[in-house]
Amino acid sequence: MNTTRTLCFVIAALSSYAALAYRLGQVRRSWRDAGYRVLVITLLLQCLTFTMGAVAMGGGSFLGVGNLAILLMHLSAVAYCVCAQIILLGWAETVAEAAARKTRYWVITGIALNVLLVVLFLVADGTRRPATDFNTGSGQPLVLTYLLVFIVSQAVPCVTIFLQCGPYARMTDNASLRQALQTLSVATVILFLYCTARTVNILTAAAGVDIGVWQLASNVFSALGIVTLSLGLTITSWGASAAKLLDWARSYRSYRALYPLWRDLYESSPDIALEPPRPGASVSDLNYRLHRRVVEIRDGWRELRPYIDRAAGGPDRAGAGTTEEARQALAEAAQIRQALRAKSTGTIPADNKDAGDFEDRDTVSFTAEVAWLTKVASAYSRLRTAE
């Protein structure tokens, strides 16, 4: 179990260092911002917490003092919880005086808690105790008190931050800030589960009950919570870029998915293309190219209307269990496939579709249009492959 615990500490530490390194990359343009400085301090404390946790798992002393790594881990954990609360106040409070007052309250509370932890650690003779005592308390009242005070110092900020994140997220118009608050809310839930699992470990050990491998739940919740917290503390700077990258990836996927349908329509009616296709064309102007591909598919469809047999294809070919939209997309794809063959032979069906659109489908936006044509193109590709 020690290996799993150490691995959880390492994962938490690495995520903390990654978040810190990312934020330090913005130091030149952001250092004058007080909120940025608090965030960097928070991430430094987070790194220290889990670095000390990994050191403590190695056993022995740190800087020649027994269990010093454990004490430093707990003190820095209290400090970074206080800093996280201060960051949230900076994001959410609109009145500077109220934010300053609450910040002073949290700073004083954090200092008092750390002083109390140091006193309890020394009174309990923490430097001479086995490191395992600080996992379960080993039934020693002073050690149990020390551990329970530490857990309360972690649980209370989890509750207060969670209670504030929801309302603040609904109030803000800033999308990246809303995502950050929602992510922090999830992180506090996971970290509260860590506090709960840690309390269970301590109380069951004090009662002489062995819960076995379930003792590792607290470590897993801790690592998962810190990874989520690290994302929440940095998402305001990379969230917008990540969203743009995801949008680009979705657009590129749609652009590629539309290609088989576009290619056959282009071969049938080359005049639909504003410019001839070039092998290996750059996708740096993807938005423009996707718009052109959608327009050209629609133009190619209009060129085919005299050759489309209204009786071709049909929803029954989609199979049971599919949606009405999927059946309609397959019907359209089948009619297009039939029309291309009819045009190549010059055959004009008696009951052709000389007016209308894709079953008169009127999409409300370009995004909806791309989504619909992608379904038709996917169905068309399946039909083409089957033939």
Side-chain angles (χ1 to χ4, degrees):
M1 287 197 293
N2 279 344
T3 301
T4 303
R5 287 195 180 102
T6 303
L7 179 61
C8 288
F9 275 117
V10 169
I11 291 172
L14 288 176
S15 71
S16 301
Y17 279 109
L20 177 62
Y22 179 80
R23 280 300 194 175
L24 286 177
Q26 304 161 346
V27 67
R28 283 190 176 182
R29 67 175 183 270
S30 303
W31 185 248
R32 293 181 182 275
D33 180 9
Y36 173 80
R37 294 196 296 270
V38 174
L39 177 56
V40 169
I41 292 171
T42 303
L43 292 172
L44 282 169
L45 290 168
Q46 193 174 302
C47 292
L48 176 62
T49 298
F50 293 96
T51 300
M52 289 296 99
V55 170
M57 290 306 300
S61 61
F62 178 65
L63 300 178
V65 181
N67 295 323
L68 179 60
I70 294 175
L71 178 62
L72 291 176
M73 174 180 66
H74 291 161
L75 296 180
S76 56
V78 172
Y80 91 72
C81 280
V82 169
C83 287
Q85 181 68 63
I86 292 172
I87 289 171
L88 181 59
L89 291 173
W91 285 352
E93 285 289 343
T94 55
V95 181
E97 184 179 343
R101 184 175 63 254
K102 292 178 180 179
T103 296
R104 285 195 297 270
Y105 164 78
W106 278 104
V107 170
I108 292 170
T109 302
I111 292 172
L113 281 170
N114 273 345
V115 170
L116 179 58
L117 286 175
V118 171
V119 170
L120 287 171
F121 182 85
L122 295 176
V123 172
D125 200 17
T127 59
R128 297 183 182 180
R129 290 187 175 278
T132 53
D133 283 8
F134 290 94
N135 286 332
T136 61
S138 299
Q140 301 296 321
L142 287 174
V143 179
L144 281 172
T145 303
Y146 171 90
L147 291 175
L148 291 175
V149 167
F150 169 70
I151 291 170
V152 170
S153 75
Q154 304 296 288
V156 171
C158 288
V159 174
T160 57
I161 292 174
F162 176 79
L163 292 176
Q164 293 172 76
C165 281
Y168 290 150
R170 289 189 292 271
M171 289 165 54
T172 182
D173 295 326
N174 187 318
S176 61
L177 179 56
R178 188 184 308 112
Q179 290 175 335
L181 291 168
Q182 290 169 344
T183 306
L184 284 178
S185 183
V186 173
T188 56
V189 171
I190 299 171
L191 290 172
F192 187 81
L193 291 175
Y194 152 75
C195 295
T196 304
R198 188 73 193 280
T199 303
V200 170
N201 287 352
I202 293 170
L203 296 181
T204 53
V209 178
D210 183 8
I211 60 173
V213 73
W214 290 104
Q215 294 178 27
L216 296 175
S218 62
N219 299 92
V220 174
F221 283 133
S222 176
L224 184 58
I226 291 302
V227 170
T228 309
L229 183 66
S230 298
L231 293 174
L233 292 175
T234 57
I235 198 172
T236 52
S237 60
W238 57 260
S241 298
K244 288 180 181 178
L245 180 61
L246 288 175
D247 287 342
W248 188 93
R250 282 193 290 267
S251 295
Y252 183 70
R253 198 160 52 240
S254 298
Y255 181 76
R256 293 294 301 271
L258 292 173
Y259 176 74
L261 176 59
W262 173 87
R263 178 196 57 214
D264 287 1
L265 290 172
Y266 170 73
E267 289 176 354
S268 174
S269 305
D271 58 313
I272 63 174
L274 182 65
E275 55 186 31
R278 303 190 307 274
S282 170
V283 291
S284 58
D285 53 350
L286 180 62
N287 189 50
Y288 165 76
R289 291 185 177 280
L290 182 60
H291 273 78
R292 286 303 315 162
R293 183 153 289 183
V294 168
V295 170
E296 289 165 10
I297 287 174
R298 284 300 193 181
D299 289 345
W301 158 253
R302 292 185 182 90
E303 294 269 349
L304 284 179
R305 284 185 305 196
Y307 301 94
I308 290 182
D309 188 346
R310 292 181 182 274
D316 58 304
R317 298 185 60 178
T322 55
T323 64
E324 177 61 31
E325 190 174 53
R327 289 192 290 272
Q328 186 181 346
L330 183 59
E332 296 289 356
Q335 289 181 341
I336 292 170
R337 188 75 182 138
Q338 171 272 329
L340 286 169
R341 287 195 296 264
K343 185 177 182 181
S344 66
T345 59
T347 304
I348 299 179
D351 185 16
N352 62 44
K353 188 182 292 186
D354 56 359
D357 217 328
F358 282 93
E359 291 297 335
D360 299 321
R361 188 181 183 89
D362 185 18
T363 50
V364 297
S365 66
F366 179 72
T367 301
E369 176 83 348
V370 171
W372 165 243
L373 289 180
T374 300
K375 288 184 173 67
V376 175
S378 297
Y380 180 85
S381 295
R382 290 196 300 272
L383 288 174
R384 200 172 189 278
T385 302
E387 292 175 4

